Amino acid sequence: MTPPGTQRQFLNWAEALGPLKVLDLKSLTFKLVSLLALATAHRVQTLSLIKISDMTVSKSNVIIKISEQIKTSRVGVAQPSFSLPLFKERKGTCVATVLLKYVKRTKVLRGNEDYLFITFKRPYHRATAQSISRWIRCCLVEAGIDPKYTAHSTRHAATSAAEARGLDVNIIKSTAGWSASSQVFAKFYKRPIEPRKESFVEVLFNQQGE
């Protein structure tokens, strides 16, 4: 579990890193991985399997489909798919904007590497799930969050914050990769609030000032 306000504290830290155009590759990587961890509420394993070829970009959003098997993959269960809206306001915490900037910045560094995350030091190569987990933990510490929390804590923070703002529990479960019948969320995070029907990312990122 994470303390109340962790999600907002994390977002404030990410925004305070500064404009995307002035960030070095390490800072840009940290910003993207932290925002994606919150926006998707998925495990680090899932983040490590994101491929550029599985991304679809439109004027309004970026859709990411996970084509490889993950921990919860099984027959009859759809693979994860994330829709990241392009927010015109608060671009500093717009996941889609940061994602597209990262892809553009790393294009000349990655060669034929299709996996999204690459190391930010030479020789550039695909980042492992272990590296991504370590990066997220570094981000948590830099954001001033107790170092006892791990990369998995972003999953707790995101789903708890979305539920606290009244997002429909079925949308939360779907986003985080829990089945409709799963009791994990109900057991650890659910509170009695009137449900809202916006998307997970809209609730989590577009109302930061609340």
Side-chain angles (χ1 to χ4, degrees):
M1 300 293 286
T2 52
T6 297
Q7 168 262 350
R8 183 175 299 173
Q9 186 175 347
F10 211 22
L11 285 177
N12 288 342
W13 165 80
E15 188 167 33
L17 286 174
L20 298 179
K21 62 182 180 181
V22 303
L23 297 182
D24 59 22
L25 183 56
K26 178 181 178 180
S27 297
L28 181 60
T29 301
F30 276 18
K31 183 162 189 166
L32 176 60
V33 77
S34 60
L35 293 179
L36 265 179
L38 284 177
T40 65
H42 257 262
R43 299 174 179 85
V44 169
Q45 179 208 18
T46 305
L47 301 183
S48 73
L49 295 177
I50 295 175
K51 294 180 178 179
I52 295 176
S53 60
D54 288 335
M55 293 167 42
T56 303
V57 182
S58 71
K59 292 182 179 180
S60 60
N61 64 8
V62 176
I63 295 176
I64 301 173
K65 295 182 179 179
I66 304 300
S67 57
E68 294 193 21
Q69 298 292 295
I70 62 172
K71 183 178 180 180
T72 56
S73 295
R74 58 184 182 276
V75 177
V77 177
Q79 285 289 102
S81 178
F82 312 118
S83 177
L84 306 174
L86 279 159
F87 295 133
K88 294 182 179 180
E89 299 179 357
R90 304 195 74 96
K91 289 186 177 181
T93 51
C94 174
V95 193
T97 298
V98 178
L99 171 61
L100 295 177
K101 182 67 174 181
Y102 178 83
V103 171
K104 183 177 180 180
R105 178 83 67 87
T106 58
K107 184 176 181 179
V108 298
L109 306 177
R110 63 175 58 251
N112 295 322
E113 182 56 69
D114 191 29
Y115 287 98
L116 174 63
F117 285 109
I118 61 172
T119 56
F120 45 77
K121 293 182 180 180
R122 296 178 184 273
Y124 303 111
H125 55 82
R126 178 190 175 187
T128 64
Q130 290 77 15
S131 292
I132 293 172
S133 179
R134 186 170 62 252
W135 295 346
I136 295 175
R137 190 158 191 175
C138 287
C139 293
L140 288 167
V141 172
E142 288 188 12
I145 298 167
D146 195 312
K148 72 179 181 181
Y149 295 108
T150 66
H152 195 71
S153 300
T154 57
R155 185 168 164 89
H156 296 168
T159 53
S160 295
E163 197 277 337
R165 290 181 174 182
L167 185 63
D168 186 273
V169 66
N170 291 316
I171 296 176
I172 296 174
K173 285 183 176 182
S174 175
T175 301
W178 288 308
S179 67
S181 60
S182 173
Q183 295 301 307
V184 173
F185 183 78
K187 181 177 180 181
F188 293 105
Y189 313 119
K190 184 170 173 56
R191 303 183 187 89
I193 296 177
E194 186 67 23
R196 291 158 59 174
K197 296 294 184 179
E198 295 99 322
S199 77
F200 188 90
V201 180
E202 286 172 332
V203 167
L204 207 62
F205 285 77
N206 209 25
Q207 303 182 51
Q208 192 174 333
E210 287 187 359

